[in-house]
Structure formats: C-alpha cells, structure tokens
C-alpha cells in the first residue's frame, strides 16, 4: 500500500472520529463543507472504507497460515460413581486435571497458502481502489447536487425578477388604457404574461426544494433540519484546458480506480484456478507438531509428518471444479473487455459534453448581453409609447430565456468538468481535504 493512501486513510479515520457539528448552527454551507460532510456521513463511503479494512484483516489471516500456532489448554474433569447393587454400596468421587501446550507448524505445502496470501493481497488492493472510486463518485454527486441547488436558486431569482417586470408591464398597460392610449387587449396580454410568470416562480421554488433534498441525502444532512443558505460559487473566468481526446481516453483506461480494481480481481482469480488445478492433481504437506503435557505425568510429544493426497476418483468433482474455475476466469476477462469499452464511451461522452458546455457558456453570455440590450431598448420605447405591449412581452421572453440559458450553461459546465475528472480517474476537488 502506498504511503499516499496510508495518509489518506488515516485522515479518513480521524475524520470519522470527529463529532459532526457542521449544520448545527451556521449561516451558510460552502461546497468544501458539503464535501467534508459527505466524507463523514455518507453510508456508501463508510461501507466501502470498512470493506477495505476488512480485506486488510483477511491479508493478515492468510499470512498467519505460514506461522506456527501455539495453543495452551487446560481441562478439569470431576465425576462421581455410585453403585447400588451388593453390599456395601460403592461410592466413588474422582477429579482429574490435564493441561498442555500444543505447537503446530506447516513447514511446506503444495502452494495453497502462497496462492491464498497473494490473492488476499490483490483483493485488498482491489477493495482499496474500490473505496477510492466510491469516494470519488460520492464527491462528484456532492458537486452535482450542490451545483444543481445553486442553479435552482439562480433560476428562482430569474423567475422572481420576471414577475416584477411583468407586473410593471401590466401597470403601464393600465396607465395607457386609462389615458386612452392603449387597448384593453394589451392589459389582458400583459396580465396573462404576469400570471404565467407567477406559475414559473412556483415551479422554480419546487425545483429548489427538490435539489436541496438531493443534496441533504448525499451529504447525510439531518432530514428534519433545514439546509443553510448555500455559499455562492463564482462564475468562471477561464475554462479547463483539454488534452487530445485519445490522450484523455488512454489516461482514463490506465488510471480509473474501478478498472484497476477489476484488473486486480482478475489477477486474484488466477490463483483460484491454480488451486483448483492443484486439487485435481495432487496435494501434499509437511507438518511438525510438539505437545508438552502437564498432568500428573509430564510428557513431550514430537511429530513430523508428510502427507500426500491424490484424487484418484472423486466422481470427476475436482476436475470439473478446475474446469469451472478456468471458465469463470475467462468469463470475467470477457466482461472486463466490455467494461473497458463502456468506460471508453463514457470518457468520450464526458469529454465532448465539457467541450460543448464551454462553448455554451460563451455563446449564452453573448446572447444574454444582447437580450438585456434589446429588452432595455424595447422597454424604454414602450414607456414612451413607441412600442407595443407585444414587443415588450417578446423582449421579456427573450431576456428570461437568455438568463436561464446562461445559468444552465454555467452549472452544466461545472458539473461536466468534475464529471470528466471522475471518468478518467483524476482526483476530485475536495478529495484530499
């Protein structure tokens, strides 16, 4: 196990021992705090970590097979015998003590212990990598949920601003109609747009509640406690620089923890095939034992034994088991080939999504600036009576669409950036803290 991972797991243990106090009395919840909460409280992360620790104990157990065993024992026997036939009656009490120390050591075998030990180490490494992948997947979910919640709040603000603008149009339409400068139809159209804007606010508020619920679940927040206000995340000033797609794909296939864990699993499974083949052929062992007894008579016993077993005929069970182990290994290899194909597809999808989202942010920003300029121009013109209510409502729709598209593009970019890191096995922000 690398020193880097030892430090990381030690930090995780220390983190698990800290009483979670975040969320009890705080005004805002930052992304870093949300990530730390997930590492403390998320059940999937905790389970994966404990699986890794369990596999460490299995390594110790398999290594223990190479070491001698020393077993002290003590036995106390108390008995009573009563004979009721004949005279006189015979009553006998007896108490015996026996104690001993037994030492046993398997000096040599046909390879089973070595294969078991090496397989357990590979399985431990696989569980270590699986834990890392689970941690990263969970941290990605935190990023995604946090950004979705921020996005929902931003979209709610846009919807609320839309209501304010729509209400002003209604008031202005009524003012024009009272002066005889407008038609009642203009008021109806403005009020319809105003009511639709209020409906959009209700929809946006529901989206905020849903995204906050998802965030609370992934970070382990108390379901009965309200989530604090989320700390704002700055809009991007520069974007991730991407390598060539083939290089990105090659990196992912080489470094993704789940793929590395699968490769370790396949390598471990090879030892199951070796053991099954050995069982179908012959097994042998050389064992030494020493027993010293401490009863009424002290005695020593030393035994050195060599045993060989050959499955001459066992109903074809051992040969069938060896064949099955080989088939299972080939099946696992075939499945892994398909997994690599799926991962390659996932990486390509994440790569092009990020490329597209970078372009979307830039295009949406330009569209927003144009929509703001257009709305301000049309609204000023409408105030002076030079434009119709339809012109204003159309400009409002364009502005709302541009604002929403810009917000959607920004948070899609943030999520896509973390998604690509996850898909190629790179460190997720917040992983080390």
């Amino acid at each position: 196990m690398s020193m880097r991972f030892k430090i990381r797991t030690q930090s995780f243990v220390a983190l698990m021992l800290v009483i979670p106090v975040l969320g009890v009395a705080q005004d805002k919840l930052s992304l870093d705090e949300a990530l730390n909460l997930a590492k403390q409280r998320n059940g999937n992360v905790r389970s994966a970590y404990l699986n890794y620790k369990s596999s460490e104990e299995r390594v110790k157990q398999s290594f223990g097979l190479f070491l001698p065993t020393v077993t002290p024992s003590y036995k106390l026997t108390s008995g009573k015998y009563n004979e009721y036939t004949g005279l006189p009656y015979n009553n006998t009490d007896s108490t015996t003590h026996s104690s001993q120390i037994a030492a046993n050591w398997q000096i040599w075998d046909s390879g089973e212990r070595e294969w078991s030990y090496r397989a357990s180490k590979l399985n431990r490494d696989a569980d270590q990598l699986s834990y890392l992948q689970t941690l990263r997947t969970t941290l990605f979910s935190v990023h995604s949920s946090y950004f979705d919640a921020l996005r929902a709040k931003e979209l709610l603000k846009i919807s609320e601003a839309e209501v304010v603008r729509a209400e002003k149009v209604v008031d202005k339409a009524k003012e024009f109609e009272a002066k005889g400068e407008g038609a009642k139809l203009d008021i109806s159209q403005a009020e319809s747009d105003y009511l639709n804007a209020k409906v959009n606010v209700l929809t946006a508020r529901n989206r905020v509640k849903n995204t906050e619920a998802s965030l609370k679940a992934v970070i382990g927040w108390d379901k009965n406690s309200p989530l604090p206000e989320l700390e704002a995340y700055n809009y991007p000033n520069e974007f991730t620089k991407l390598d060539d797609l083939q290089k990105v794909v090659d990196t992912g296939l080489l470094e993704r923890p789940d793929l590395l864990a699968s490769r370790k699993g396949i390598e471990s499974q090879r030892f199951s095939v070796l053991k099954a083949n050995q069982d179908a052929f012959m097994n042998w062992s050389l064992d030494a034992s020493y027993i010293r007894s401490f009863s009424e008579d002290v005695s020593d016993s030393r035994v050195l034994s060599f045993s060989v077993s050959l499955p001459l005929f066992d109903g074809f069970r051992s040969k069938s088991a060896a064949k099955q182990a080989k088939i299972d290994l080939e099946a696992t290899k075939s499945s892994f080939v398909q997994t690599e194909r799926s991962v390659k597809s996932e990486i390509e999808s994440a790569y092009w999504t990020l490329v597209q989202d970078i372009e979307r942010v830039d295009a949406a920003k330009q569209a927003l600036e144009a929509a703001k300029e257009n709305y301000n121009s049309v609204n000023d013109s409408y105030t002076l009576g030079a434009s119709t209510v339809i012109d204003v409502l159309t400009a409002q729709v364009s502005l709302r669409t541009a604002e929403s598209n810009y917000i959607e593009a920004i948070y899609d970019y943030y999520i896509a950036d973390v998604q690509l890191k996850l898909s190629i096995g790179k460190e997720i922000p917040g992983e080390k803290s």
Side-chain angles (χ1 to χ4, degrees):
M1 179 171 38
S2 66
M3 180 60 67
R4 177 183 176 186
F5 190 79
K6 283 184 178 179
I7 294 173
R8 183 175 295 164
T9 53
Q10 288 170 358
S11 300
F12 181 84
V13 173
L15 192 62
M16 295 302 297
L17 295 176
V18 175
I19 298 176
V21 295
L22 288 174
V24 176
Q26 62 183 68
D27 297 328
K28 289 189 176 183
L29 179 68
S30 69
L31 177 57
D32 287 340
E33 289 169 339
L35 293 167
N36 285 330
L37 282 171
K39 288 188 284 189
Q40 293 178 47
R41 300 178 177 181
N42 187 276
N44 292 333
V45 174
R46 174 69 174 166
S47 175
Y49 175 75
L50 292 176
N51 285 337
Y52 161 66
K53 298 304 291 183
S54 175
S55 64
E56 278 193 329
E57 298 305 317
R58 286 194 292 272
V59 172
K60 296 177 184 178
Q61 295 172 36
S62 59
F63 180 74
L65 296 175
F66 292 97
L67 304 177
T69 61
V70 179
T71 309
S73 62
Y74 172 77
K75 183 177 181 181
L76 170 64
T77 303
S78 179
K80 187 173 184 179
Y81 175 74
N82 296 322
E83 184 178 341
Y84 299 107
T85 57
L87 293 174
Y89 294 153
N90 186 18
N91 298 318
T92 305
D93 293 329
S94 64
T95 301
T96 60
H97 303 265
S98 64
S99 58
Q100 68 175 26
I101 295 180
N104 296 280
W105 185 26
Q106 188 171 79
I107 302 172
W108 183 45
D109 67 359
S110 46
E112 289 85 351
R113 292 180 300 171
E114 174 69 18
W115 297 332
S116 175
Y117 178 58
R118 293 174 65 180
S120 67
K121 290 175 65 178
L122 289 167
N123 288 330
R124 177 204 59 197
D125 294 343
D127 285 339
Q128 166 189 330
L129 292 163
S130 295
Y131 160 64
L132 181 58
Q133 180 69 12
T134 300
L135 175 62
R136 288 178 175 176
T137 301
T138 302
L139 295 182
F140 166 72
S141 297
V142 175
H143 280 89
S144 179
S145 298
Y146 192 92
F147 289 139
D148 279 341
L150 284 178
R151 182 209 315 258
K153 288 180 177 293
E154 292 287 340
L155 293 176
L156 175 59
K157 291 178 183 179
I158 291 173
S159 296
E160 290 172 341
E162 180 189 7
V163 171
V164 174
R165 290 194 296 261
E167 188 175 18
K168 289 181 179 179
V169 174
V170 172
D171 293 340
K172 199 65 180 179
K174 289 180 178 179
E175 180 183 332
F176 284 154
E177 198 273 336
K179 294 179 180 180
E181 299 175 0
K184 289 186 176 180
L185 179 61
D186 291 346
I187 298 176
S188 299
Q189 290 174 329
E191 287 181 336
S192 175
D193 189 74
Y194 170 68
L195 293 173
N196 284 330
K198 294 182 72 173
V199 172
N200 290 337
V201 168
L202 296 175
T203 302
R205 285 176 180 167
N206 185 60
R207 183 174 180 179
V208 169
K209 294 295 183 183
N210 290 338
T211 54
E212 286 184 344
S214 297
L215 178 59
K216 289 169 69 174
V218 73
I219 67 177
W221 195 269
D222 183 0
K223 63 181 180 181
N224 297 320
S225 300
L227 197 67
E229 181 183 350
L230 302 184
E231 194 172 277
Y233 207 79
N234 295 329
Y235 291 171
N237 294 320
E238 57 183 21
F239 299 97
T240 301
K241 295 181 180 179
L242 299 178
D243 293 326
D244 176 74
L245 174 59
Q246 188 58 51
K247 183 178 180 180
V248 172
V249 170
D250 292 342
T251 298
L253 294 178
L254 185 64
E255 297 184 3
R256 267 185 60 143
D258 53 343
L259 292 182
L260 293 174
S262 296
R263 293 187 183 104
K264 296 284 186 181
I266 291 173
E267 195 175 348
S268 171
Q269 199 170 343
R270 284 182 52 250
F271 293 107
S272 298
V273 174
L274 291 174
K275 184 179 183 304
N277 288 334
Q278 190 66 44
D279 291 340
F281 170 62
M282 182 186 298
N283 289 303
W284 61 83
S285 66
L286 178 64
D287 299 271
S289 63
Y290 171 79
I291 300 176
R292 185 171 182 86
S293 298
F294 305 93
S295 54
E296 295 181 357
D297 296 322
V298 179
S299 63
D300 286 337
S301 174
R302 298 176 178 84
V303 177
L304 182 66
S305 61
F306 176 74
S307 62
V308 179
S309 64
L310 176 66
L312 187 60
F313 180 75
D314 60 359
F316 308 106
R317 290 193 302 273
S318 57
K319 290 184 178 180
S320 178
K323 187 176 181 179
Q324 178 187 353
K326 185 176 180 179
I327 292 173
D328 290 343
L329 177 58
E330 292 302 316
T332 302
K333 289 180 178 179
S334 297
S335 178
F336 178 72
V337 170
Q338 189 59 38
T339 299
E340 283 190 315
R341 292 171 182 158
S342 299
V343 167
K344 181 175 181 295
S345 173
E346 179 185 333
I347 294 172
E348 291 178 351
S349 176
Y351 180 90
W352 291 119
T353 297
L354 181 56
V355 170
Q356 172 187 284
D357 287 339
I358 291 173
E359 295 174 352
R360 278 179 60 205
V361 172
D362 184 58
K365 186 176 182 180
Q366 295 181 41
L368 177 58
E369 292 171 354
K372 284 181 178 179
E373 184 177 348
N374 177 66
Y375 171 76
N376 291 331
S377 176
V378 172
N379 189 55
D380 291 343
S381 178
Y382 179 65
T383 302
L384 298 174
S387 298
T388 67
V389 70
I390 297 298
D391 295 330
V392 177
L393 297 180
T394 301
Q396 280 189 170
V397 171
S398 297
L399 178 58
R400 183 185 68 243
T401 301
E403 290 174 330
S404 299
N405 286 343
Y406 183 53
I407 295 300
E408 295 280 7
I410 285 174
Y411 289 106
D412 281 347
Y413 160 72
Y414 281 135
I415 293 173
D417 186 38
V418 184
Q419 174 76 69
L420 182 60
K421 288 182 173 66
L422 176 66
S423 68
I424 63 176
K426 291 297 184 182
E427 182 182 310
I428 302 296
E431 181 180 324
K432 283 186 176 180
S433 61

